[in-house]
Amino acid sequence: MAGVLNIHKFPLLRSVHGSPKTPRKSFPIIRATSETPTSSTSTSVTAPPNFEPPKPKRFAVRPDKTWDIIGASLALFFRLGTGVFVNGYSVSFVSKDAIPPDQYSLEVSGYKVKETSKLGPRPEKPIEIYEFEGCPFCRKVREIVAVLDLDVLFYPCPQNGPTFRPKVVQMGGKKQFPYMVDPNTGTAMYESDDIIKYLVQKYGDGSIPFMLSLGLLTTLTEGFAMIGRMGKGSSYTPSKLPPKPVELWAYEGSPFCKIVREVLVELELPHIFRSCARGSPKRQILFEKTGHFQAPYIEDPNTGVQMFESAEIVEYLKATYASS
């Protein structure tokens, strides 16, 4: 690996310290108390020469990515759309004049779509989750992140990844995924079902979505959901790890977002995930930032690049961060 992140210089990348609080009885709580084992520094990166971000094209699939998108779309069938909508999602059709032009909304047959949702308390700092794409248990947690509309700092842990897999072992004592750290409460834990219970109790209304409450059936359908992308987002590709995480606006239920996340995981690139499923107020935030809403969208503070379009984002990430 060309470079390893200097975790002590980047405040979001850390173990959790502090005096322990009384654990809830409904799930086990682990405390992350070890120092992160790293002595290397991150590698500076630059955008590819003469790089120009593409113009966004709504609902367009680049011909060479057709089968990738079809394969990633199979998850929508097996998971019945879980991860597409925020908790409490509702929709109504209103006249075009009912929603101002400076507010995000879809337009259908001369009407605008008004979308609402019900959000719980918002964490002050992003939840930190160590996981990888090719894991059905990790997918369960990513789905609840979309439902609760949480911002998450993802630390990818692909097979043979040299940075964050060892960190999880040091922090929690096991090479097991997903592993969650909540810097807002000092709580850390393994086990996808326990993480889901914790997140809905802390940042939701306490109820677990039906498709995430079916035990073994949930796990099986999560596995079936990955058939179309078997092996993608699971194995490490040697890369240059940058000083700051890439920021990704995306959501679990989108096949376009999926192919970008796979590459971020394979390159072991930490990324701040701005979840923006249907009903998310962050859709309006991105609309105000760019004058357009489309997912995925990335902002790379290491190069200054900001761009839409999944196929081109994949190419950008590989050209910028894969070790030559």
Side-chain angles (χ1 to χ4, degrees), residues 204-252:
D205 60 8
S207 61
I208 298 174
F210 176 73
M211 286 298 292
L212 287 168
S213 65
L214 302 177
L216 179 60
L217 183 59
T218 293
T219 303
L220 289 174
T221 56
E222 296 285 12
F224 294 150
M226 296 185 291
I227 289 176
R229 301 296 293 163
M230 188 69 70
K232 300 294 184 180
S234 296
S235 299
Y236 173 66
T237 297
S239 64
K240 298 170 285 188
L241 208 56
K244 300 177 182 178
V246 175
E247 190 165 338
L248 172 66
W249 299 69
Y251 59 103
E252 181 61 25

Side-chain angles (χ1 to χ4, degrees), residues 1-194:
M1 188 173 189
V4 179
L5 199 62
N6 186 336
I7 294 180
H8 297 294
K9 292 185 178 180
F10 180 31
L12 286 178
L13 303 179
R14 62 189 180 283
S15 299
V16 175
H17 301 270
S19 58
K21 300 178 181 178
T22 302
R24 305 179 185 218
K25 294 182 179 179
S26 56
F27 40 76
I29 291 180
I30 302 170
R31 296 294 162 186
T33 57
S34 300
E35 292 292 335
T36 302
T38 180
S39 58
S40 301
T41 59
S42 56
T43 300
S44 61
V45 292
T46 57
N50 304 315
F51 176 79
E52 290 289 338
K55 294 182 178 180
K57 299 178 287 293
R58 189 180 293 274
F59 305 125
V61 179
R62 209 171 73 179
D64 63 315
K65 295 295 183 181
T66 299
W67 286 109
D68 289 332
I69 298 302
I70 290 174
S73 298
L74 289 178
L76 296 172
F77 170 76
F78 287 109
R79 296 297 300 148
L80 301 183
T82 308
V84 175
F85 305 103
V86 174
N87 187 49
Y89 178 80
S90 65
V91 61
S92 60
F93 292 90
V94 299
S95 67
K96 293 176 63 175
D97 298 333
I99 299 179
D102 61 350
Q103 290 188 17
Y104 164 76
S105 65
L106 288 176
E107 187 172 331
V108 179
S109 301
Y111 291 88
K112 285 192 174 181
V113 179
K114 184 178 181 179
E115 301 171 287
T116 60
S117 58
K118 297 178 181 178
L119 300 182
R122 302 291 82 191
E124 181 180 347
K125 302 174 184 178
I127 310 298
E128 301 172 11
I129 299 178
Y130 298 75
E131 54 86 61
F132 62 99
E133 273 286 330
C135 165
F137 302 99
C138 298
R139 183 183 171 91
K140 290 164 64 175
V141 172
R142 294 197 303 270
E143 286 180 352
I144 200 62
V145 164
V147 171
L148 297 178
D149 197 43
L150 297 174
D151 287 348
V152 169
L153 177 53
F154 279 117
Y155 293 107
C157 299
Q159 297 287 340
N160 301 316
T163 307
F164 301 116
R165 279 192 165 234
K167 181 182 176 184
V168 169
V169 174
Q170 186 186 46
M171 293 174 69
K174 294 185 291 184
K175 188 184 292 187
Q176 180 177 314
F177 306 94
Y179 180 73
M180 183 209 74
V181 176
D182 186 349
N184 303 281
T185 63
T187 299
M189 63 176 63
Y190 291 101
E191 298 296 341
S192 57
D193 288 339
D194 292 333

Side-chain angles (χ1 to χ4, degrees), residues 239-292:
S239 64
K240 298 170 285 188
L241 208 56
K244 300 177 182 178
V246 175
E247 190 165 338
L248 172 66
W249 299 69
Y251 59 103
E252 181 61 25
S254 166
F256 297 95
C257 298
K258 179 64 59 183
I259 65 172
V260 171
R261 265 271 308 169
E262 290 169 353
V263 174
L264 285 166
V265 171
E266 291 169 355
L267 295 174
E268 204 188 34
L269 298 179
H271 50 285
I272 297 177
F273 190 90
R274 305 293 187 193
S275 187
C276 51
R278 298 226 66 93
S280 169
K282 289 197 282 288
R283 291 189 168 221
Q284 176 64 24
I285 295 173
L286 184 56
F287 184 81
E288 292 173 357
K289 284 169 65 74
T290 67
H292 180 77

